[in-house]
Amino acid sequence: MDGHEWIKTRLAHIGTHALLKMLLVDNFIHADMHPGNILVRKKASRGGLFKTKKPHIVFLDVGMTAELSKNDRENLLDFFKAVALRDGRTAAERTLKLSRKQNCPNPEAFIEEVEEAFKFWGTAEGDLVHPADCMHELLEKVRRHRVNIDGNVCTVMVTTLVLEGWQRKLDPGYDVMHTLQTMVLKTDWAKSLSYTVDGLMAP
């Protein structure tokens, strides 16, 4: 993949919107989206459905999938909104609601630590930290404070981070977390992600 920058940029865009559609519109998420389960089709097949020179992504092996309950979905979306707004307290409170059986021994300590981290990320120095690295640090705080997160929710969060990892390699300038945050802040995100083949293609 050395060179071919136009293809890599398009793939970063297409992959992000595919995840957003799975998460925000379909509520049916491919939970094993590592590069070995992804094919890239560079040319349309003769007589095929897609009449375009733009690349297409083919997802394989949907043996691992995740669906979220209405409550989990609302909490996860509110979590991403809080991250977008740099609202550490709300992000921590929503994280604590991502399990039906929350056994965190000291929820207030977790909330305060997350709030402090968000305050740092809001400074000029903290703004240099990549959003995905902030997510990794937040999940480390989840582990250290023994915050429970239900399996399907955790799967979605990890899938988002896996996607972000290979998107960053394809196009270091493309910020999947920013795109996700922008979408969840829209008043009518479902309408904004109405699914057409052309809508998923990079400009």
Side-chain angles (χ1 to χ4, degrees):
M1 288 295 287
D2 290 339
H4 305 290
E5 299 304 319
W6 69 275
I7 292 180
K8 291 191 283 188
T9 297
R10 282 168 167 78
L11 292 178
H13 181 97
I14 295 165
T16 298
H17 281 75
L19 174 68
L20 291 173
K21 180 178 182 289
M22 286 188 277
L23 176 61
L24 301 178
V25 179
D26 298 330
N27 189 26
F28 189 75
I29 301 101
H30 191 309
D32 194 20
M33 207 154 47
H34 60 79
N37 279 340
I38 301 168
L39 298 180
V40 176
R41 181 168 56 196
K42 292 170 61 176
K43 294 181 180 180
S45 58
R46 184 175 298 175
L49 174 65
F50 302 108
K51 307 295 185 181
T52 176
K53 294 181 179 179
K54 296 174 182 177
H56 296 88
I57 289 179
V58 181
F59 295 116
L60 306 175
D61 188 10
V62 290
M64 288 177 60
T65 59
E67 293 179 78
L68 301 179
S69 69
K70 183 175 183 295
N71 186 59
D72 285 342
R73 201 159 169 241
E74 288 176 355
N75 281 322
L76 189 60
L77 289 172
D78 284 342
F79 166 79
F80 281 123
K81 287 178 184 178
V83 171
L85 294 169
R86 297 187 182 276
D87 181 352
R89 176 162 287 272
T90 300
E93 289 172 348
R94 288 298 176 179
T95 302
L96 289 166
K97 291 183 178 180
L98 293 176
S99 175
R100 294 174 184 84
K101 295 181 179 180
Q102 187 52 258
N103 296 318
C104 175
N106 192 342
E108 192 55 40
F110 171 70
I111 291 171
E112 289 177 3
E113 189 171 328
V114 171
E115 197 167 20
E116 281 301 311
F118 270 72
K119 286 178 182 177
F120 169 72
W121 294 331
T123 65
E125 184 181 358
D127 198 47
L128 298 176
V129 181
H130 194 279
D133 295 329
C134 296
M135 281 288 292
H136 282 286
E137 187 176 333
L138 180 60
L139 290 177
E140 173 58 25
K141 295 181 191 305
V142 165
R143 184 196 66 79
R144 194 169 63 253
H145 285 271
R146 290 180 282 168
V147 175
N148 291 10
I149 297 180
D150 285 348
N152 274 359
V153 178
C154 192
T155 295
V156 171
M157 296 176 82
V158 170
T159 296
T160 303
L161 290 173
V162 170
L163 176 73
E164 193 281 332
W166 62 261
Q167 300 294 54
R168 209 191 308 191
K169 287 184 178 180
L170 285 170
D171 184 355
Y174 192 88
D175 189 344
V176 63
M177 296 302 296
H178 175 73
T179 303
L180 179 59
Q181 291 162 5
T182 300
M183 286 296 183
V184 297
L185 286 174
K186 286 182 178 291
T187 303
D188 187 358
W189 47 261
K191 185 176 181 181
S192 74
L193 282 174
S194 59
Y195 188 88
T196 63
V197 172
D198 287 340
L200 282 179
M201 299 303 157

